[in-house]
Amino acid sequence: VQVDTPDQKLRARAQRVIPGGMYGHMRSAGLPAGYPQFFARGEGCHLWDVDGRRYVDFMCSWGPIVLGHKHPAVTEAVQRQMAAGDCLNGPSERMVELAERLVGLIPHADWAMFAKNGTDATTTCVTLARAATGRRKILVAKGAYHGAVPWCSPYPLGVTAEDRAHLLTFTYNDAASLEAAVAQAGDDLAAVIVSAFRHDYGLDQELPDAAFARRARELCDARGAALILDDVRAGFRLTLRGSWDLVGVQPDLSAWSKAIANGYALAAVTGNERFRDAASKVFVTGSFWYSAVSMAASLATIDELERIDGPRRMREMGLRLRQGIAAQAAAAGIGVRQSGPPQMPTLLFDNDPDCAKGDRFTVEALKRGVYLHPRHNMFLSAAHTEADIDFALEATKEAFAALAAR
Ligand code: PMP
């Protein structure tokens, strides 16, 4: 094992000046040995770490990179806006253009607001639901991730019971459990918040059941509560119309971020007429929420996704990967489960409670230039071509062989 690589030197320096050496979801210490912490550059569906190793990237920066790293059309729009100005005394024309674009694109949207991170968007949705209804209870699915502030953080450290006093839980795709939680909330129900699909960490992913989605809509309508769709992770990968459009259900409020500006920092909340008044009155803001560059990036990203039908491309490439892996696993006699939409695959191994097989497999793939994740859902981008998928499948084939040899 080399101990003086650029990555290791940076880790040692970070250890002194960055808490824990790194924090949050991009902390490589949570991944098996062999995963890099620091990256030098990205282009298309490729990524280079600071040690100069190249990978076909199946995490896409954990979602934001939907067209590929450094996409030329996005870079051009960014440079044009950067030359004019980014952070001004107010927004630029781009903000109105982008709000118009989202309202034209997303069936439930009558208006849009912008922020920076997914957590800003989910938290704003919750605030809006409470403001509009004058009620407090928010129903969340057990195990669902909606962000990293106290009301929704999955980790208890630094969070008080009071921060979460008005949360009640249900089980995703289980209408009876949602009905029970609605009954428990009584006349204090402000909102039900759902993810695009069940994409909980380390578990098989579950697409939304259409009957469950319709029941959630009915219950919110009957109680005058908001149906909030957290489309932060899946938005613009499955469809450009909002992920529950695929099951024929429109939310009242949607939270967006990650893929909407191909890697530039932007989040959005879209909502319908019912919530316009509350949205015009609540005080939600941030120093960088009006900056123009990421909005220019978003406009270019949407144009390109629409032009090439990005969701369909990602789906096709995701299916090619899924079918290849399924065939390889069967040939190697190794039980795997692939779940989630093809654009956002999750690969888990049978009889692998501590993820030791998943860890070994992904490290073997990593050595061969393919960046997979052993537990989290992965992400395709529109930059992945047949040739990239086939390159990845060569690596996974060898990774299965290495696993079978153990
Ligand atoms: N909701 C979902 C479904 C997410 O996947 C994420 C980010 N992983 C968030 C909210 C929070 O977004 P951010 O990290 O940008 O605050």
Side-chain angles (χ1 to χ4, degrees), residues 71 240 302-310:
H71 188 278
L240 304 183
I302 295 168
D303 284 348
E304 189 64 10
L305 283 171
E306 220 171 32
R307 191 180 71 77
I308 64 171
D309 194 354

Side-chain angles (χ1 to χ4, degrees), residues 97-161:
E97 290 170 358
L98 183 56
E100 286 171 345
R101 194 74 167 90
L102 295 178
V103 166
L105 195 61
I106 301 162
H108 87 99
D110 293 317
W111 51 262
M113 302 168 86
F114 299 99
K116 284 288 126 192
N117 290 287
T119 308
D120 301 336
T122 56
T123 303
T124 297
C125 287
V126 166
T127 305
L128 284 179
R130 285 174 168 155
T133 60
R135 306 182 197 151
R136 297 175 295 180
K137 302 293 184 228
I138 307 293
L139 273 42
V140 297
K142 286 185 202 94
Y145 184 70
H146 297 299
V149 288
W151 79 265
C152 54
S153 170
Y155 295 96
L157 194 64
V159 174
T160 69

Side-chain angles (χ1 to χ4, degrees), residues 25 62 116-122 145-148 195-196 199 230-234 255 257-258 267 376-377 379:
H25 67 295
W62 294 65
K116 284 288 126 192
N117 290 287
T119 308
D120 301 336
T122 56
Y145 184 70
H146 297 299
S195 311
H199 46 42
D230 178 353
D231 226 348
V232 168
R233 197 179 306 180
S257 189
K258 290 200 186 276
H376 197 276
N377 74 263
F379 299 86

Side-chain angles (χ1 to χ4, degrees), residues 58 197-198 203-207 315 317-331 334-350 361 372-378 380 389 392-393 396 400:
F58 286 100
F197 60 95
R198 187 175 180 178
L203 299 179
D204 296 310
Q205 317 285 286
E206 253 180 60
L207 297 182
R315 185 181 160 79
M317 291 307 108
L319 282 171
R320 189 179 182 96
L321 179 71
R322 180 166 296 189
Q323 284 157 5
I325 285 178
Q328 292 171 351
I334 294 172
V336 299
R337 304 184 308 280
Q338 300 189 82
S339 60
Q343 298 95 323
M344 297 171 64
T346 294
L347 171 64
L348 297 172
F349 286 77
D350 290 345
F361 178 81
L372 302 172
H373 198 286
R375 296 174 198 82
H376 197 276
N377 74 263
M378 295 176 271
L380 273 283
I389 300 299
L393 286 170
T396 54
F400 277 120

